[in-house]
């Protein structure tokens, strides 16, 4: 079987999606047999883009000009461009204060110095290029990552998940943290697929997988309000991983 | 029908005897207050007074997410082996028994589902009577479904009357002679032994194509999926296939689905046959009160009340049925 | 055979028919029921191992040697990876499923087959079935519309049958980029407009329709205008399906399940069902 | 000859960095580490958020170090709110941090650096070249992750660690399994030390640097920084002492300490500050090339410490307890935790509504920048006559000795 050629790159991010791949300790030796890690600066040298790729897997959001260049280059060279993780799909944590005056934010950190002034409000990959598929999660589930790779072996991309975290939480027969304990759990609005990881340990969902395929935001606000969280509080939370929530 | 009396103090002993046949599961209240069917290990008594468990017995027959086929280039598709241990489900309310009856109609028959039938064959059902609460509508269900069990416990003063309902039940009763007494009482009527009483109102309104009720329900629906996850008769499933990293193996998985999700009726290219939530809501209603295909006219709502309890916005299908009924007249 | 377990089959030939549509010939064991005993209009569930399973209509005629013809459009999760498969690759299948066209009712009758786009697939199977016992039936008319001339499937076969006088054929395309010189009689009209020039005897004619959901309402009303009774209009419907045997719950049409009560329905069955015709 | 030599896109390090070497005739006169990673402006993002969101957000600074970021942030927040957490919570956090230490060190040793020693380009080639080594490394790494999962709920961005406590205690069976597996790798980690210390050095010895590490608490924790030259800086003053400044060539702020002195943090620094006698023999040389040895030693120490902590937790009972109630108050808190790459400082100020009004995060890689640059300069000046590829390779190897985490440094 021909090895699948991969380019794995990180843009503005924490490397968590790439690390998730390296966290597939049991599978790494097998992955090496099926995939050519042709461009993967985090873990493999040298970092040179060569030829075409079966898939480019890109972590992180766009916030600097050189990242745009790299992304366009990867798009041009790859059959599939895959957004890896919530930052790449939705923008992620770095978008937390998008829409505010970025220069002021920059000055809050760097003062008057002109460092890092070329950055712009972080955007998801789809803002610049066509994205063929994505997996969400901050970080993504390693199981999903492995399925994605196994699919690539067959030329297949993952199917979209159409259920929210709540569904999985109920499937696991867990006490609803919102209804039962008045905790601000975002499971209602968040895309499932993590197995309700957090609520199943009694920790409210923070929405790290971004919006579910279909949500009923208005009605959800009412439910949250009945349990003591006003619109502002909920919006503040929703904002954590996805600027589009506020549209 | 054989009937025997069990003194309440003998319940533990009875469970011990049952355990000789296999693991016993029954309703248990967790530290978080949630009642679930769970393993009744030695010395643990079921919570027979709880109105309902969070998930119905279907979780033992169709797992929320399970592998239904494996594939290797060498052997093709195979049904994974299903361990043959019997499982005794203790304290199942009549509505849930009827729920199992409905699932049987879908998954058994001439061409049974391999995994379901293997699990069903080893499942021993011990029913128990209960007192409906304000969410229940079992007593008013016009469903032709039956609350079939192997043994049934009727709660009476000081204990239970056990009746055997199947050959397996006969055998169990025989085994448990040591803790049972001859029964001198009549089997009481009011312990809701049977799901669906005769004075039920069988009229279920045909859902009008349009109407404010639908839109109202749809507006409240969050699409969280809780209602169908907890429904004893909801059995829609999605099927996914995952290839192995070796490139030559695969597994096929089915997982519970929900007709209120956008993807439920969506086909390739994005076309959906039930685009808006009101349409999907009508679909759900139809399934519960009308039925599809071979199970047309089988009302599949067994009245357990779970969806009403689970819905974060309090949508009540039963109430909707009532409204539509009035509208229809 | 348990209908839940796909059996392996080998792709013996792949013939491109149009852009993104190919005819797959699968080889199963000789005598395999999925190959030898199905009715036109029925479907099978085709698995691409490691990728998924999809419902596909039979496109050919039952065979004893175990070969099966399927016409597949490459549009999604399963069908696009299928595009890269080659002769010799292994797939798997379950079936046949569903209710096909009511062949016995067609005895001695005229038939109008109306296909839109990929809808030709099941109708070709019906056509082959009719032609196998051509004498039993009266006039056979095929009305076929597609996006453009390049998308007309099995065009050579159809033209040849027309030439032999076995069928009457009318073709329509939405648009043309390369002209219609190679396609005698083809017009740039909408599919339902082909009915305008058709004369039928409503008392002895059946219409069999398969196409994209959007055209159904137009076709049906046009046929009704021609006084064809609803129980003489048969349609093949497409719905999301995950099991094929009436369990997964996705394919309901009104109170029918498309996979077991259909996919072929008469218009009379569908009367009054909201959304049935798309 | 050009006066500028650039090494673009460093590999096998976390984040995006490059190196510039500036020559004057034959001598390299300046070496610059350019962290061109895009800043997410975390310190600004955190301002305006409620106290109970701080750690969830801050841990996203870096995936490899997410557990320590989380713990450091939680401790700083709790200090500001005046809460003391239970012993059980402390053990859990410490265990999670040790899990992170194991994961990070194993990743570094086996996937990122061992290829240098064996002359290959990464784990992908190691798989063919030294599969048994990779297997051992991955097994240890996996165990580090398992610890983080068991305690934190998942390996990256742990969610089970909360302000005031933990969400859910692990089950006795989970901890039992963990301790079994940890016991199972004890021999492996001992062998790692022998293996690493037995390798021929690639780099020449370079001048040693002052080391700095947290002190005054259990391993990797503390309330102050102490240095090998005898300084002791309490957490509350640490930010001032570290004296971060902005320089134009890198997006990471650089610690200037006082004047032009530099200081090194990380495994080697930690051992220099407090060397367990049984390991002293491995460190006749404390120049930066010994850092891999230090990681190997720390790997073993982490496994041992984790075993001990699991013992404490099991003895303590695993009953869930609700997190400590927080009475929101105006305040300020600073906390230091040793991340795998060295001392990490989180410092926050909150208003009376519990809203963050100022955040300051100082990360080990940012602290190390000057030392990295200094040693780079020293290294390339020992390489007379070397060509670009040789210099590039040596420079990358040297930089990897610091295991820089550029996302952390820039944040
Ligand atoms: C009775 C019947 C006969 C069909 N006959 C043919 C045929 O002869 N040739 C052909 O090319 N196509 C046919 N289709 C449509 C074909 O099933 C879909 O094109 C196919 O399922 C798309 O799958 P996908 O995974 O590539 O697309 P995706 O969009 O990725 O679909 C994901 C999943 O949704 C379901 N799904 C999506 N679209 C459909 C659909 N239209 N119908 C049913 N399920 C769907 C499938 O389970 C599929 O696996 C038929 C459909 C039905 C119901
Ligand atoms: S706890 Fe959260 S995820 Fe679970 S049901 Fe409640 S809102 Fe949904
Ligand atoms: S429960 Fe929510 S926060 Fe937790 S992993 Fe899932 S989507 Fe992310
Ligand atoms: S169609 Fe809806 S109501 Fe019926 S089983 Fe499926 S999810 Fe439940």
């Amino acid at each position: 079987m021909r090895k699948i050629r991969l380019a794995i790159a990180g843009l503005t991010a924490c490397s968590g999606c790439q690390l998730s791949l390296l966290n597939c300790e049991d599978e790494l030796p097998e992955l090496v047999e099926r995939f050519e890690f042709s461009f993967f600066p985090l873990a493999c040298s040298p970092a040179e883009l060569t030829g075409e790729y079966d898939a480019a897997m890109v972590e992180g959001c766009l916030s600097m000009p050189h990242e745009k260049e790299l992304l366009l280059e990867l798009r041009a060279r790859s059959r599939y461009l895959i957004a890896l993780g919530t930052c790449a799909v939705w923008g992620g944590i770095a978008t937390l204060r998008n829409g505010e005056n970025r220069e002021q934010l920059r000055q809050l950190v760097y003062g008057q110095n002109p460092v890092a002034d070329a950055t712009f409000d972080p955007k998801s990959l789809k803002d610049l290029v066509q994205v063929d598929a994505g997996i969400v999660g901050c970080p993504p589930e390693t199981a999903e990552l492995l399925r994605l790779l196994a699919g690539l072996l067959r030329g297949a991309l993952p199917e979209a998940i159409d259920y929210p975290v709540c569904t999985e939480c109920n499937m696991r027969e867990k006490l609803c943290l919102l209804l039962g304990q008045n905790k601000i759990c975002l499971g209602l609005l968040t895309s499932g697929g993590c197995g309700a990881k957090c609520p199943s340990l009694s920790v409210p969902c923070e929405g790290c997988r971004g919006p579910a395929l279909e949500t009923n935001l208005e009605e959800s606000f009412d439910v949250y309000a009945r349990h003591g969280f006003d619109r502002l509080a909920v919006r503040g939370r929703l904002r954590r991983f996805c600027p589009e929530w506020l549209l | 029908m054989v009937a025997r009396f069990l003194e309440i103090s003998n319940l533990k002993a009875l469970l011990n005897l049952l355990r000789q046949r296999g693991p016993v599961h029954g309703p248990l209240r967790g530290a978080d207050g949630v009642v679930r069917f769970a393993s009744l290990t030695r010395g643990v008594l079921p919570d027979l007074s709880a109105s309902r468990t969070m998930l119905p017995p279907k979780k033992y027959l169709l797992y929320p997410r399970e592998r239904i086929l494996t594939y290797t280039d060498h052997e093709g598709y195979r049904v994974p082996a299903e361990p043959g241990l019997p499982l005794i489900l203790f304290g199942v309310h009549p509505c849930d028994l009827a729920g199992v009856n409905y699932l049987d109609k879908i998954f058994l028959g001439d061409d049974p589902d391999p995994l379901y039938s293997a699990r069903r064959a080893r499942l021993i059902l011990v029913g128990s009577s209960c007192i409906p609460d304000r969410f229940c509508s079992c007593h008013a269900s016009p469903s032709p479904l039956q609350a079939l069990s192997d043994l049934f416990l009727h709660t009476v003063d000081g204990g239970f009357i056990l009746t055997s309902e199947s050959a397996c039940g006969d055998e169990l009763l025989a085994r448990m002679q040591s803790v049972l007494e001859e029964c001198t009482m009549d089997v009481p009527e009011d312990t809701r032994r049977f799901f669906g009483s005769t004075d039920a109102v069988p009229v279920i309104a045909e859902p009008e194509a349009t109407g404010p009720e639908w839109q109202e329900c749809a507006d409240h629906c969050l699409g969280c999926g809780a209602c169908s996850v907890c429904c004893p008769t909801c059995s829609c499933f999605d099927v996914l296939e995952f290839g192995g990293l070796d490139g030559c193996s695969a597994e096929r998985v089915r997982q519970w689905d929900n007709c209120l999700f956008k993807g439920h009726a969506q086909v390739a290219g994005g076309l959906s046959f039930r685009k808006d939530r009101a349409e999907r809501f009508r679909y759900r209603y139809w399934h519960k009160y009308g039925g599809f295909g071979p199970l047309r006219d089988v009302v599949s709502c067994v009245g357990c009340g779970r969806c009403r309890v689970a819905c974060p916005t309090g949508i009540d299908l039963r109430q909707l049925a009532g409204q539509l009924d009035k509208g229809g007249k | 055979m348990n209908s839940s377990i796909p059996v392996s089959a080998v792709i013996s030939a792949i013939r491109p028919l149009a852009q993104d549509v190919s005819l797959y010939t699968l080889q199963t064991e000789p005598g395999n029921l999925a190959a030898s005993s199905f009715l036109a209009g029925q479907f099978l569930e085709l698995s691409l191992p490691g990728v998924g399973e999809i419902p596909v209509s039979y496109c050919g005629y039952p065979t004893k040697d175990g070969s099966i013809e399927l016409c597949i459009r490459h549009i999604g999760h399963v069908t696009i990876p299928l595009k890269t498969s080659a002769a010799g690759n292994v797939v798997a299948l379950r079936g046949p499923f569903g209710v096909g066209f009511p062949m016995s009712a067609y005895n001695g009758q005229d038939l109008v087959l109306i296909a839109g786009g990929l809808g030709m697939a099941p109708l070709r199977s019906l056509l082959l079935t009719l032609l196998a016992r051509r004498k039993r039936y009266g006039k056979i008319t095929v009305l076929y519309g597609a996006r453009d001339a390049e998308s007309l499937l099995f065009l050579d076969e159809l033209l040849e049958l027309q030439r032999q006088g076995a069928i009457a054929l009318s073709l329509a395309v939405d648009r043309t980029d390369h002209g219609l010189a190679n396609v005698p009689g083809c017009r740039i009209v909408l599919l339902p407009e082909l009915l305008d020039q058709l004369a039928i005897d409503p008392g002895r004619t059946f219409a069999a329709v398969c196409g994209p959901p959007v055209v159904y309402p137009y076709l049906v009303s046009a046929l009704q205008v021609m006084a064809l009774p609803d129980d003489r209009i048969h349609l093949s419907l497409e719905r999301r399906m995950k099991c094929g045997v009436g369990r997964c719950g996705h394919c309901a049409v009104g109170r029918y399940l498309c996979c077991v009560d259909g996919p072929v329905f008469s218009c009379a069955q569908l009367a009054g069902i909201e959304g049935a015709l798309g | 000859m050009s006066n500028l030599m650039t090494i673009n896109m460093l590999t096998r390090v976390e984040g995006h960095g490059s190196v510039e070497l500036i020559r004057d005739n034959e001598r390299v006169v300046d070496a610059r580490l350019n962290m061109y990673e895009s800043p997410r402006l975390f310190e600004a993002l955190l301002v305006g958020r409620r106290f109970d969101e701080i750690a969830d957000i801050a841990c996203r600074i870096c995936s490899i170090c997410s557990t320590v970021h989380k713990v450091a942030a939680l401790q700083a927040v709790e200090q500001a709110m005046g809460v003391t957490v239970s012993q059980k919570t402390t053990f859990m956090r410490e265990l999670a941090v040790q899990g992170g230490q194991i994961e990070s060190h194993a990743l570094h040793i086996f996937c990122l650096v061992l290829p240098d020693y064996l002359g290959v380009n990464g784990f992908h080639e190691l798989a063919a070249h030294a599969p048994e080594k990779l297997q051992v490394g991955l097994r240890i790494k996996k165990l580090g992750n398992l610890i983080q999962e068991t305690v934190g709920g998942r390996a990256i961005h742990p969610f089970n660690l909360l302000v005031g406590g933990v969400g859910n205690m692990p089950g006795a069976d989970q901890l039992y399994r963990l301790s079994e597996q940890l016991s199972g790798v004890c021999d492996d980690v001992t062998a790692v030390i022998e293996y690493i210390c037995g390798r021929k050095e690639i780099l020449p010895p370079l001048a040693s640097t002052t080391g700095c590490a947290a002190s005054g608490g259990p391993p990797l924790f503390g309330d102050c920084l102490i240095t090998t030259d005898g300084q002791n800086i309490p957490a509350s003053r640490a930010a001032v002492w570290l004296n971060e400044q902005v320089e134009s060539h890198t997006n990471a702020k650089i610690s200037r300490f006082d004047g032009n002195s530099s200081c090194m943090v990380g495994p080697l620094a930690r051992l220099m500050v407090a060397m367990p006698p049984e390991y002293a023999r491995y460190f006749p040389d404390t120049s930066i090339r010994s850092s891999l040895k230090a990681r190997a030693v720390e790997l073993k120490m982490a496994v041992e410490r984790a075993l001990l902590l699991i013992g404490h937790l099991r003895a303590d009972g695993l009953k869930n307890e609700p997190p400590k109630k927080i009475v929101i108050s105006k305040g300020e808190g600073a906390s230091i935790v040793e991340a795998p790459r060295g001392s990490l400082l989180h410092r926050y100020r909150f208003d009376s509504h519990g809203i963050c009004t100022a955040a300051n995060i100082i990360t080990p890689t940012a602290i190390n920048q000057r030392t990295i640059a200094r040693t780079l300069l020293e290294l390339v000046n020992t390489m007379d006559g070397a060509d670009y590829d040789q210099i590039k390779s040596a420079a990358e190897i040297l930089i990897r000795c610091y295991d820089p985490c550029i996302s952390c440094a820039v944040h």
Side-chain angles (χ1 to χ4, degrees), chain A residues 165-167 169-170 174-179 183 185-188 196 199 204-205 224, chain B residues 54 224 226:
Chain A
V165 169
C166 270
T167 305
C169 188
N170 277 293
K174 297 293 178 184
L175 173 71
C176 177
L177 299 175
L178 176 62
L179 306 183
K183 288 188 185 165
C185 178
L186 299 185
L188 273 178
C205 170
Y224 286 113
Chain B
M54 184 163 167
C224 73

Side-chain angles (χ1 to χ4, degrees), chain B residues 228 233-236 257-259 264 283-284 287-288 292, chain C residues 249:
Chain B
S228 74
T233 63
C234 270
S235 51
C236 274
D257 200 352
N258 183 330
C259 57
H264 194 265
Y283 186 81
R284 181 174 172 80
H287 198 194
K288 292 297 131 193
F292 298 133

Side-chain angles (χ1 to χ4, degrees), chain A residues 106-246:
Chain A
R106 198 192 63 79
Q107 285 187 18
L108 200 58
V109 177
Y110 292 106
Q112 296 298 328
N113 304 284
V115 169
D117 53 2
T119 69
F120 45 83
D121 268 3
K123 302 176 199 312
S124 61
L125 305 189
K126 63 178 183 303
D127 272 27
L128 183 68
V129 294
Q130 186 208 320
V131 175
D132 299 304
I135 55 173
V136 290
C138 182
E141 300 298 307
T142 49
E144 270 186 281
L145 203 53
L146 290 169
R147 284 177 189 160
L148 170 84
L149 289 168
L152 287 177
L153 285 178
R154 298 160 175 85
L157 294 173
E159 287 187 65
I161 290 172
D162 69 348
Y163 47 88
V165 169
C166 270
T167 305
E168 291 182 308
C169 188
N170 277 293
M171 282 179 181
R172 296 183 70 164
E173 230 172 348
K174 297 293 178 184
L175 173 71
C176 177
L177 299 175
L178 176 62
L179 306 183
Q181 294 192 346
N182 295 321
K183 288 188 185 165
I184 184 164
C185 178
L186 299 185
L188 273 178
L189 299 164
T190 305
S191 172
C194 62
K197 208 162 209 150
C198 305
S200 69
L201 289 186
S202 312
V203 178
C205 170
E206 54 171 333
C208 83
R209 294 175 64 86
L213 188 67
E214 194 186 48
T215 55
N216 187 343
L217 206 50
E218 276 311 306
E219 186 70 23
S220 300
F221 279 136
D222 288 352
V223 175
Y224 286 113
R226 279 201 289 281
H227 293 276
F229 306 102
D230 63 18
R231 205 170 264 253
L232 219 63
V234 181
R235 287 198 159 207
R237 290 283 168 144
L238 284 176
R239 200 62 184 73
R240 201 181 280 175
F241 293 97
C242 174
E244 288 171 37
W245 269 124
L246 275 198

Side-chain angles (χ1 to χ4, degrees), chain A residues 10-17 19-20 22-26 28-29 32 37 39-48 61 63-64 66-67 70 93-97 102 105-106 108-111 113-116 119 138-139 141 197-204 206 208 235-237 239-241, chain D residues 9-16 36-50 52-53 56-57 60-64 103 107 111-112 121-125 127 134-135 138 141-142 145 153-157 159-160 162 167-168 246-248 250-253 392 396 400 407 410-411:
Chain A
L11 305 178
T12 301
C14 75
S15 298
C17 306
L19 183 63
S20 294
L22 295 173
N23 281 351
C24 301
E25 290 95 357
D26 289 339
L28 275 187
V32 169
F37 292 90
F39 179 82
F40 186 10
L42 175 63
C44 306
S45 310
E48 280 161 24
C61 53
S63 71
M64 280 188 111
H66 71 81
E67 294 175 335
L70 177 62
I93 200 103
T95 63
L96 206 54
R97 295 183 75 172
R102 188 162 176 90
L105 299 179
R106 198 192 63 79
L108 200 58
V109 177
Y110 292 106
N113 304 284
V115 169
T119 69
C138 182
E141 300 298 307
K197 208 162 209 150
C198 305
S200 69
L201 289 186
S202 312
V203 178
E206 54 171 333
C208 83
R235 287 198 159 207
R237 290 283 168 144
R239 200 62 184 73
R240 201 181 280 175
F241 293 97
Chain D
M9 221 191 278
L10 296 171
T11 56
R12 284 187 271 139
V13 297
E14 195 284 333
H16 308 291
Y36 61 87
E37 177 94 16
S38 181
R40 287 151 293 166
L41 307 175
F42 266 96
E43 282 137 332
L45 301 184
L46 289 164
V47 169
R49 312 300 295 196
R50 249 174 72 107
D52 54 356
E53 286 191 78
D56 294 345
I57 296 172
R60 260 90 186 184
I61 287 175
C62 172
S63 58
I64 306 181
E103 193 281 331
L107 173 74
C111 298
L112 307 184
N121 281 318
F123 77 95
H124 58 310
E125 293 178 9
L134 184 62
Q135 294 272 341
L138 291 175
K141 175 174 176 311
K142 186 178 171 193
N145 275 336
R154 63 181 165 197
I156 300 173
H157 307 327
F159 56 83
N160 196 36
L162 309 173
N168 215 48
V246 179
E247 286 185 19
S248 60
T250 172
N251 289 344
K253 291 183 196 164
K392 175 175 187 287
E396 286 210 56
R400 274 179 213 126
S407 296
V410 178
H411 58 274

